Amino acid sequence: MDQPLGQVGRPLRAITWRSLLAGTLAVVAVCGLTPLNDFVFSDTSLSMGYLPLAAVVVLFLLIVAINAPLHRFAPRHALSTGELGAVVLMTLVACALPNWGLMRFLVPMAVSPFHVGAGDEQFWRAFVALDLPGWLFAVDSVPAGRNDPAATWFYLRVPAGQHIPWRAWITPLAAWGVFVAAMLATLVSLARMVLHQWSVNERLPFPLVQVQLALIDPPAPGRSLNALFRSPVLWIGLGTVLGIHGLSILNAYLPRYFPTIPLSYDLVDVLSEEPWVYLRGRVKRAALSFTVIGVTYFIRSKVAFSLWGIYFLMNLVGVEYRRHHSELTGDMWADQHLGACLAFVGGIFWIGRQHWARILRNALGLGGDSTCRVSFWVALGGVAVMVAWLMVVGVQGWVAGLIVAFILASHLIVSRVVAETGLPIWRTSIAAAQIYRHCPVGWFGGRDIYFAGVFNALGPLTTRDGIMGHTLHGLGVCQGAGVDDRQRRGVGAAIGWALLLGCIVAAAATLCCHYSYPTPPAPDTPPQRNYFGAVRIPNRELAEPLKSFSQGRFEQTAHSSALHTSIGFGVTVVLQVASLRWANWPLLPVGYVTSYGAFIENTWFSIFVGWLAKVVIVRFGGASLFTRARPLFVGVIFGESLAAAGWLIVNAVLVMNGFESRAVRFLL
């Protein structure tokens, strides 16, 4: 699996009426069901991360329930690898839309200021003073918006006898849609431009793509399933994980009769003496994710070691700080992360400088071919539209450029991390506020601060399920399935159709959920629904910065941000230079970039277990045992996904019949 993307099968047409039909059905299902599942029924998301549950289930059903019988009884009508690749691409694109990737935060932006303002008079006065265009919001009048039914019903549900105010949402969704369309087009184009550089020139492993390519490998003539699915080892792994999670499901409703198998450890009491008492809680207490373990098996050993090793090393650094009665605060880590990301982006462009120069020459008609010419101009046009949109709503030009730069940089960083590491769950935490809060307040207007917060929520925060990362991996699957450049127009049209249809369905489903089920008033009130996107994020990203600005100040940190940003930048540069200069250098810069944030805290132990399993297998069994064990880890991934899917169905049925939703955590 440490090879550049290869080809599976022969290059057949990918975009056919069958693949478009299957992809369209997948888009509708993902974008229509995700808000209902994630905001109403369960805390296990259908579209979370870069190996989303929905995509795994769709692929499993296509291969086992549809293609296997066709290969057995009507092989001429079975979906080709190219068609399967196109369906995977459309499904992954859809997974970027209905939850964290977009709609969880986008839809509430048209009403959340009125909900926040109803309980925060200081914010309300500052917000009204902005005099923002009314077409941004789903109310008849901004000054009277706190009492508008479109805003109040969004949080409280539609009263009996009333209807969802669909008409109130047409204008604001269209207005925000201009920016969103430009952003999505730019990020999709960036994915197209970096694919060749990362997969061919730099030979990044794309572990998630390799897993999916192994699944769509066509079976031998006369067979229903390929060699991977015929392997008993795969079904052993799948069945074992399915059984373990099945006990957890039964225990949630019948704890007296069904035990659970512990999948976590808690050493808080054991590590209660100095210096170990200073370790972070996520080191002393951690849980396993079978999906992360399975994916880690397909990651290069050096990369996996860097992920958990540098995270653990940074915790030891924190221990030393605390031993001397100092504290490495979250803000310090955040500034070091910003510096690391700046250096990481610089490394991306430096290493790929010849590729980027070629794209520029092609775009200007000076190169030998037209590769990425359309993608370049689409991306450039998208950036221009985003900056122009921000200026229309009152943001200064240079601030608009800063906002757009952070959006693009955050998606570029996460896409690169996932391509290199295969981490199924990670996002960056950089924000434009880390720059502007160190500038004089007089340089900014209220609208600059307000929209910087808005597009932190709609930019870096969305990279957990980002459209660039999903598109990049979908294109990687298509490339490995034999879809060549002659079909790029059809592939581009399929992406555009998936985005258009997915946005419409996801927006409608999100509105239905919000107007049909009340948003909880507090974070500890179950079920959570979309409290995070509709209440917490507007308070954190919109209200708090705007209130500080209205008082003539920015919230300052107690440490030197410049120092810690420089530390992060310097460490990343050193790691980058060392990894390029010495082949045996054990620590890679990607490990330091990912060492900050809740996502690596949740996954580091599972990465360690997967890395250890791979090291032991290779050490004692060599390459042959490594190859034979691959189906086991694919089965582990499928087992967790199928257990989660089965539970979501059961839980939805129970909730609709009056039972309370029970929390059974499958994916971290």
Side-chain angles (χ1 to χ4, degrees):
M1 300 306 294
D2 293 346
Q3 306 295 328
L5 299 184
Q7 288 195 346
V8 178
R10 59 184 186 278
L12 301 176
R13 287 184 59 199
I15 308 302
T16 64
W17 71 267
R18 300 188 307 170
S19 62
L20 280 177
L21 176 60
T24 297
L25 293 175
V27 169
V28 172
V30 170
C31 293
L33 294 178
T34 295
L36 184 65
N37 173 78
D38 294 10
F39 300 158
V40 178
F41 294 144
S42 175
D43 62 352
T44 297
S45 174
L46 277 175
S47 61
M48 179 177 68
Y50 290 94
L51 191 64
L53 171 61
V56 174
V57 172
V58 166
L59 191 54
F60 186 86
L61 291 176
L62 277 175
I63 294 172
V64 176
I66 297 176
N67 237 30
L70 288 175
H71 273 298
R72 186 72 177 88
F73 301 108
R76 291 180 56 192
H77 299 288
L79 293 169
S80 69
T81 55
E83 289 175 309
L84 289 172
V87 177
V88 170
L89 170 63
M90 294 178 69
T91 305
L92 289 175
V93 167
C95 287
L97 304 176
N99 195 341
W100 274 69
L102 186 62
M103 292 300 169
R104 176 184 280 264
F105 308 114
L106 173 63
V107 171
M109 287 300 171
V111 291
S112 59
F114 310 106
H115 178 77
V116 174
D120 190 335
E121 194 62 33
Q122 181 185 354
F123 164 73
W124 180 248
R125 290 194 301 269
F127 172 73
V128 173
L130 296 179
D131 193 26
L132 294 173
W135 39 264
L136 290 173
F137 305 103
V139 296
D140 291 332
S141 169
V142 171
R146 290 186 292 182
N147 298 315
D148 193 294
T152 57
W153 294 354
F154 185 86
Y155 288 88
L156 300 177
R157 87 168 68 183
V158 175
Q162 300 293 330
H163 302 285
I164 296 175
W166 295 106
R167 184 171 298 178
W169 284 88
I170 295 175
T171 298
L173 286 180
W176 289 95
V178 173
F179 186 98
V180 169
M183 179 177 70
L184 296 178
T186 301
L187 294 172
V188 167
S189 298
L190 276 177
R192 171 71 179 89
M193 286 190 281
V194 302
L195 177 62
H196 182 82
Q197 169 63 23
W198 292 353
S199 66
V200 178
N201 296 344
E202 297 184 42
R203 298 168 66 88
L204 295 185
F206 283 82
L208 302 183
V209 173
Q210 297 291 353
V211 172
Q212 291 159 331
L213 284 175
L215 300 177
I216 65 175
D217 189 10
R223 296 281 191 175
S224 299
L225 298 169
N226 61 28
L228 178 68
F229 276 95
R230 296 200 314 274
S231 170
V233 177
L234 179 143
W235 295 101
I236 290 172
L238 187 153
T240 300
V241 174
L242 201 60
I244 291 172
H245 281 311
L247 284 176
S248 298
I249 294 170
L250 293 170
N251 176 266
Y253 280 95
L254 300 169
R256 293 179 55 188
Y257 303 103
F258 295 95
T260 60
I261 297 177
L263 297 176
S264 62
Y265 70 82
D266 188 342
L267 301 178
V268 173
D269 293 334
V270 176
L271 301 175
S272 58
E273 302 292 335
E274 291 191 6
W276 309 118
V277 68
Y278 299 119
L279 281 170
R280 288 176 174 265
R282 291 293 187 174
V283 176
K284 294 183 284 188
R285 182 190 298 114
L288 285 176
S289 165
F290 288 110
T291 297
V292 175
I293 292 172
V295 169
T296 303
Y297 190 76
F298 296 90
I299 300 175
R300 290 172 178 168
S301 297
K302 184 188 295 187
V303 174
F305 175 74
S306 297
L307 291 174
W308 73 264
I310 292 180
Y311 171 78
F312 198 78
L313 180 62
M314 296 306 294
N315 273 271
L316 295 181
V317 171
V319 168
E320 282 301 305
Y321 263 77
R322 295 182 184 93
R323 284 184 63 191
H324 294 88
H325 307 290
S326 298
E327 178 71 21
L328 271 173
T329 65
D331 287 337
M332 292 178 182
W333 287 119
D335 284 333
Q336 291 186 26
H337 177 64
L338 173 63
C341 288
L342 292 175
F344 197 63
V345 170
I348 290 173
F349 283 102
W350 174 254
I351 294 171
R353 59 191 182 279
Q354 294 181 352
H355 174 73
W356 296 107
R358 178 192 174 198
I359 288 178
L360 181 59
R361 290 195 299 269
N362 290 343
L364 298 176
L366 304 176
D369 56 59
S370 61
T371 302
C372 293
R373 178 183 297 172
V374 174
S375 297
F376 175 87
W377 290 112
V378 169
L380 189 63
V383 170
V385 171
M386 286 189 282
V387 171
W389 190 96
L390 287 167
M391 294 178 68
V392 167
V393 297
V395 178
Q396 298 179 74
W398 74 273
V399 179
L402 179 67
I403 291 171
V404 172
F406 266 81
I407 292 174
L408 301 183
S410 62
H411 282 272
L412 182 67
I413 291 164
V414 174
S415 298
R416 169 71 185 214
V417 166
V418 179
E420 186 172 352
T421 69
L423 273 178
I425 307 171
W426 189 74
R427 71 170 174 84
T428 183
S429 300
I430 60 175
Q434 292 175 279
I435 301 295
Y436 75 64
R437 70 186 179 194
H438 302 296
C439 301
V441 175
W443 288 9
F444 303 92
R447 294 189 181 191
D448 298 328
I449 305 305
Y450 180 83
F451 284 104
V454 166
F455 288 103
N456 185 51
L458 297 180
L461 203 60
T462 66
T463 54
R464 194 195 76 167
D465 306 333
I467 184 64
M468 181 178 174
H470 277 308
T471 303
L472 177 65
H473 280 74
L475 290 173
V477 172
C478 287
Q479 176 180 289
V483 180
D484 56 24
D485 281 347
R486 290 172 295 180
Q487 302 183 57
R488 62 180 179 269
R489 290 186 179 179
V491 171
I495 294 173
W497 169 240
L499 287 173
L500 176 62
L501 178 63
C503 283
I504 294 172
V505 174
T510 302
L511 287 172
C512 282
C513 289
H514 269 284
Y515 281 109
S516 302
Y517 300 92
T519 302
D524 56 351
T525 304
Q528 279 297 286
R529 308 208 191 279
N530 190 22
Y531 178 88
F532 185 79
V535 179
R536 182 178 175 184
I537 289 302
N539 272 290
R540 190 182 79 185
E541 302 294 340
L542 308 184
E544 295 305 322
L546 189 59
K547 287 193 296 183
S548 294
F549 176 79
S550 68
Q551 296 171 354
R553 62 178 177 82
F554 291 133
E555 183 179 354
Q556 297 299 316
T557 58
H559 66 278
S560 171
S561 292
L563 173 61
H564 284 274
T565 301
S566 299
I567 291 173
F569 187 92
V571 170
T572 306
V573 169
V574 169
L575 292 175
Q576 184 72 75
V577 171
S579 63
L580 292 174
R581 185 174 180 84
W582 299 297
N584 293 327
W585 181 259
L587 299 176
L588 304 180
V590 69
Y592 183 64
V593 170
T594 59
S595 65
Y596 170 75
F599 294 96
I600 192 66
E601 290 184 336
N602 288 338
T603 58
W604 78 270
F605 183 62
S606 300
I607 294 170
F608 167 74
V609 172
W611 168 84
L612 184 62
K614 180 176 180 179
V615 168
V616 170
I617 288 172
V618 173
R619 178 69 179 272
F620 294 101
S624 61
L625 182 58
F626 169 77
T627 301
R628 294 200 302 271
R630 284 173 52 201
L632 174 67
F633 290 87
V634 174
V636 163
I637 296 171
F638 267 108
E640 186 154 78
S641 296
L642 293 178
W647 166 245
L648 296 184
I649 295 172
V650 171
N651 194 47
V653 172
L654 293 173
V655 171
M656 288 188 291
N657 283 277
F659 291 88
E660 292 185 2
S661 175
R662 301 296 179 93
V664 179
R665 179 72 70 174
F666 296 94
L667 308 174
L668 297 175

